[in-house]
C-alpha cells in the first residue's frame, strides 16, 4: 500500500506541472509577446482583459498612455472604443423589441415620416433591423468624411443620407454604415423619451457597474487616466492626434471605456445576460443580436481556421477551429480596439490600443484564440507584420517623394485663379484662400479642419491636412480656358474611401 502511494505521488508530481497551451501562453508568454509586439508595431500603449469560465485570467496595461509624460497604461485607462459601441446600441434596441416597445422590423418612416434615402423604394422598406445590419446598399464608410468629426447634428446627418447614392443593392450586400446605426439609435428617444446616451447609461452601463464608461466623447481629453491618440500613418513617425468628437454619430461609436469595465460586458455576454449572478438582460435579447442577418463571406480563410464571416446586430461572427466566435473592432483616430467572446468556451477578450496604424490589436486576439482553441502555434504578430511592412514602407516613401517635389515651382495659373468657394452636394462648401505662395483649404463642415496646398509640378499640388489623421495626398485642379472648374479631395481611407468632387461656384452654372 505504501509502495502504491509512493507511485501515485510520483505520478501526480509528474503530471501536475503539465499545462494546457492556453495556460502556457497566458501565464508564461503573454507579457513577452505583448511587449515584443508593441515594439514591432510602434505601439505606445495597450490594455487587455481575458475572462474565462467567469474569472479574470488577465487584466493589465502595457506601455504608456502619453509618450511625453510616460504615464503608464493600466486596467482603468480610458480609450475611445468607437464601433465597439454598436453592440450596446443593438442590444438596447433588442431589449425594447423584447419589451414590445418597438419591433426591429418597424419601418424607419414609422418614427421619422419625413425620412428619405436616395431610392424611394428603399425609403419605404428600410427597417430598424436593416440599419443595424448594414443593409442600406451604401459603400463602407460612405459619407463619413462629411459626418465624422463634423459640425452636423444627428438630425442633419439623417437628412443628408438621401444624398448617399448606393454603390450596392439594398438587402443584398454589406456596406458598413455609421449613419445607419445613428438612425437606428435615434429611434430610442422616440419610444423611451430618453436620449440615446441616457438610455444606454440607465439600461446597460449602470446595471453592470460600468462606472468609468462614458456614453459621449465630449471632454474625453480632460478625463483622468485617458490614453492619448497616436498614429504613424503617412509619415511613419508617431504623431499625436486630436481626440475624435463623434457624438453626432453616438449610437455608432462614441463610447469611452476601459478593460476593467468592458470585462463586465463580456461576462454578461458569456453568462446569458447575467452578471455576478444577477439577471441584467433576458437571454433572448442576446440571441437576437447574434442571429446572422448578413453573410459577408462563405469562403475558407487562407490564414485562419475559419470558413465564413457574417454580421448580426452590431456584432460580427465567424467560425474558428470549430467554435462560433462573436467580435467587433473599433477605430477612432489614434485608437483601434476589439472585443471578442466565444460562448462555447466561456472565453472573452478585450484589447484597447492607442496607435491606429497597426494590426497588433487583431493579431493578439487571434493569438489568444489560438491558445484557447487548440490551434497549432503560429506567431500571428510576425505573420501580419510580414504583409504590413512593405505596404507601410511604400506609403511613407510615396509621401516623402511628394514632399520632395515641393521646390517653389510656379503653378500653371496665377495663384488667385484657384481661390474661391467650392461646393460638394453632400459635404457643402469649402473655401480655398491664398497663404503666401501656397493655398489653404478651409473645411466649413468641420470646426477646425484645414489643409495646406503646396504646388509640386505638372499641375499637381500636395494636400496636407492640419489633422494628421486625415492624410497627405496629391491634388489636381480641373481647368477650362484658364479657369478653375473643380477638384477632387481625398481623405484617409480610415475615414472615407471615396474622393469628393468639389465644384468651383463660379463655374457651376456653366455645367463644366
Amino acid at each position: 500500500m505504501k509502495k502504491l502511494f509512493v507511485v501515485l505521488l510520483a505520478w501526480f508530481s509528474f503530471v501536475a506541472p503539465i499545462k494546457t497551451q492556453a495556460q502556457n501562453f497566458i501565464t508564461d508568454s503573454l507579457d513577452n509577446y505583448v511587449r515584443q509586439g508593441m515594439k514591432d508595431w510602434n505601439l505606445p500603449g495597450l490594455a487587455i482583459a481575458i475572462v474565462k469560465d467567469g474569472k479574470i485570467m488577465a487584466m493589465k496595461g502595457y506601455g504608456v498612455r502619453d509618450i511625453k509624460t510616460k504615464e503608464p497604461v493600466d486596467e482603468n485607462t480610458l480609450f475611445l472604443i468607437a464601433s465597439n459601441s454598436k453592440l450596446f446600441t443593438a442590444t438596447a434596441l433588442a431589449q425594447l423589441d423584447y419589451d414590445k416597445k418597438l419591433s426591429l422590423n418597424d419601418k424607419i418612416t414609422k418614427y421619422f415620416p419625413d425620412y428619405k434615402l436616395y431610392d424611394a423604394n428603399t425609403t419605404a422598406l428600410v427597417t430598424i433591423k436593416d440599419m443595424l445590419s448594414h443593409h442600406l446598399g451604401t459603400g463602407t464608410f460612405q459619407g463619413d468624411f462629411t459626418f465624422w468629426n463634423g459640425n452636423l447634428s444627428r438630425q442633419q446627418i439623417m437628412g443628408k443620407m438621401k444624398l448617399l447614392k448606393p454603390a450596392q443593392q439594398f438587402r443584398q450586400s454589406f456596406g458598413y454604415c455609421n449613419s445607419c446605426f445613428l438612425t437606428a439609435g435615434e429611434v430610442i428617444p422616440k419610444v423611451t423619451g430618453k436620449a440615446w446616451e441616457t438610455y444606454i447609461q440607465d439600461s446597460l452601463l449602470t446595471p453592470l457597474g460600468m462606472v468609468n464608461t462614458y456614453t459621449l466623447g465630449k471632454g474625453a481629453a480632460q478625463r483622468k487616466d485617458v490614453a492619448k491618440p497616436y498614429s504613424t500613418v503617412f509619415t511613419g513617425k508617431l504623431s499625436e492626434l486630436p481626440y475624435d468628437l463623434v457624438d453626432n454619430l453616438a449610437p455608432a461609436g462614441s463610447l469611452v471605456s476601459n478593460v476593467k469595465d468592458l470585462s463586465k460586458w463580456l461576462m454578461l455576454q458569456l453568462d446569458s445576460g447575467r452578471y455576478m449572478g444577477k439577471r441584467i438582460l433576458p437571454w433572448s435579447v442576446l440571441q437576437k443580436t447574434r442571429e446572422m442577418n448578413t453573410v459577408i463571406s462563405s469562403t475558407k480563410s487562407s490564414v485562419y481556421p475559419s470558413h465564413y464571416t457574417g454580421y448580426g446586430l452590431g456584432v460580427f461572427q465567424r467560425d474558428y477551429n470549430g467554435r462560433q466566435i462573436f467580435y467587433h473592432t473599433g477605430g477612432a483616430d489614434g485608437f483601434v480596439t476589439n472585443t471578442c467572446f466565444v460562448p462555447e468556451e466561456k472565453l472573452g477578450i478585450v484589447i484597447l490600443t492607442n496607435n491606429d496604424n497597426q494590426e497588433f490589436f487583431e493579431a493578439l486576439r487571434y493569438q489568444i484564440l489560438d491558445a484557447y482553441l487548440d490551434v497549432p502555434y503560429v506567431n500571428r504578430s510576425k505573420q501580419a507584420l510580414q504583409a504590413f511592412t512593405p505596404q507601410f514602407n511604400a506609403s511613407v516613401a510615396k509621401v516623402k517623394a511628394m514632399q520632395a517635389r515641393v521646390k517653389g515651382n510656379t503653378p500653371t495659373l496665377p495663384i488667385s485663379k484657384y481661390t474661391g468657394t467650392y461646393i460638394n452636394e453632400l459635404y457643402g462648401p469649402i473655401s480655398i484662400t491664398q497663404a503666401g505662395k501656397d493655398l489653404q483649404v478651409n473645411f466649413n463642415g468641420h470646426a477646425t479642419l484645414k489643409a495646406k496646398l503646396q504646388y509640386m509640378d505638372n499641375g499637381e499640388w500636395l494636400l496636407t491636412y492640419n489633422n494628421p489623421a486625415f492624410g497627405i495626398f496629391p491634388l489636381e485642379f480641373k481647368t477650362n480656358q484658364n479657369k478653375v472648374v473643380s477638384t477632387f479631395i481625398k481623405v484617409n481611407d480610415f475615414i472615407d474611401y471615396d474622393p469628393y468632387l468639389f465644384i468651383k461656384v463660379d463655374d457651376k452654372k456653366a455645367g463644366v
Side-chain angles (χ1 to χ4, degrees), residues 101 293 493:
K101 300 289 182 65
N293 294 302
D493 287 350

Side-chain angles (χ1 to χ4, degrees), residues 426-472:
L426 176 63
Y427 184 88
I430 61 172
S431 64
I432 297 181
T433 56
Q434 187 170 345
K437 295 181 179 181
D438 302 324
L439 295 169
Q440 178 174 289
V441 187
N442 307 290
F443 294 92
N444 299 19
H446 289 76
T448 60
L449 187 65
K450 301 181 186 299
K452 180 167 60 176
L453 282 173
Q454 299 168 286
Y455 188 69
M456 295 188 291
D457 49 53
N458 298 317
E460 285 195 312
W461 299 71
L462 183 64
L463 173 76
T464 306
Y465 290 92
N466 63 339
N467 181 344
F470 281 75
I472 302 172

Side-chain angles (χ1 to χ4, degrees), residues 35-285:
R35 291 190 179 104
Q36 184 60 50
M38 292 175 67
K39 180 180 179 181
D40 290 342
W41 293 91
N42 199 4
L43 180 52
L46 178 150
I48 185 171
I50 302 170
V51 300
K52 181 77 167 73
D53 299 323
K55 299 177 181 178
I56 301 292
M57 306 304 294
M59 181 185 291
K60 63 189 303 185
Y62 297 85
V64 298
R65 55 187 174 95
D66 185 328
I67 61 175
K68 294 178 182 176
T69 65
K70 306 297 183 184
E71 293 169 294
V73 172
D74 60 25
E75 70 275 16
N76 297 303
T77 300
L78 296 171
F79 295 77
L80 276 62
I81 68 169
S83 288
N84 281 297
S85 308
K86 286 183 168 68
L87 185 54
F88 287 84
T89 297
T91 302
L93 285 161
Q95 172 73 68
L96 291 169
D97 177 274
Y98 176 87
D99 291 339
K100 308 300 182 185
K101 300 289 182 65
L102 56 77
S103 168
L104 291 173
N105 292 315
D106 283 343
K107 307 290 177 54
I108 293 297
T109 51
K110 175 179 178 179
Y111 302 98
F112 303 100
D114 297 329
Y115 182 75
K116 287 183 174 61
L117 294 169
Y118 189 87
D119 174 70
N121 289 329
T122 304
T123 301
L125 294 172
V126 68
T127 66
I128 297 171
K129 184 183 287 187
D130 288 323
M131 292 299 191
L132 296 175
S133 307
H134 304 286
H135 278 170
L136 199 60
T138 52
T140 291
F141 299 158
Q142 190 173 339
D144 279 1
F145 175 31
T146 301
F147 308 147
W148 194 263
N149 279 318
N151 296 332
L152 297 175
S153 69
R154 296 179 193 178
Q155 298 307 313
Q156 287 173 324
I157 290 174
M158 290 172 62
K160 288 266 190 179
M161 288 178 71
K162 63 180 176 289
L163 300 175
L164 300 179
K165 183 177 181 179
Q168 308 172 91
Q169 295 297 311
F170 175 56
R171 288 184 181 162
Q172 296 182 32
S173 54
F174 178 83
Y176 192 84
C177 179
N178 285 312
S179 54
C180 288
F181 254 81
L182 161 66
T183 304
E186 282 301 282
V187 173
I188 292 175
K190 292 288 185 179
V191 299
T192 68
K194 294 182 178 182
W196 171 88
E197 51 269 33
T198 304
Y199 188 79
I200 295 297
Q201 181 69 57
D202 293 347
S203 64
L204 295 174
L205 304 185
T206 297
L208 273 171
M210 296 177 68
V211 295
N212 288 315
T213 297
Y214 305 91
T215 52
L216 298 178
K218 186 177 181 180
Q222 286 74 49
R223 295 200 184 279
K224 183 181 178 182
D225 199 4
V226 63
K228 287 193 171 181
Y230 298 96
S231 185
T232 57
V233 71
F234 297 107
T235 64
K237 298 178 181 178
L238 203 61
S239 301
E240 183 178 336
L241 304 179
Y243 286 91
D244 275 341
L245 183 57
V246 292
D247 293 348
N248 58 347
L249 286 167
S254 66
L255 284 174
V256 181
S257 190
N258 56 38
V259 295
K260 186 174 183 178
D261 274 6
L262 288 168
S263 69
K264 300 174 183 179
W265 176 240
L266 292 175
M267 286 183 174
L268 173 135
Q269 296 291 339
L270 295 168
D271 197 12
S272 305
R274 291 183 293 265
Y275 176 66
M276 302 293 286
K278 180 182 177 182
R279 172 68 62 187
I280 306 295
L281 292 169
W283 163 231
S284 60
V285 168

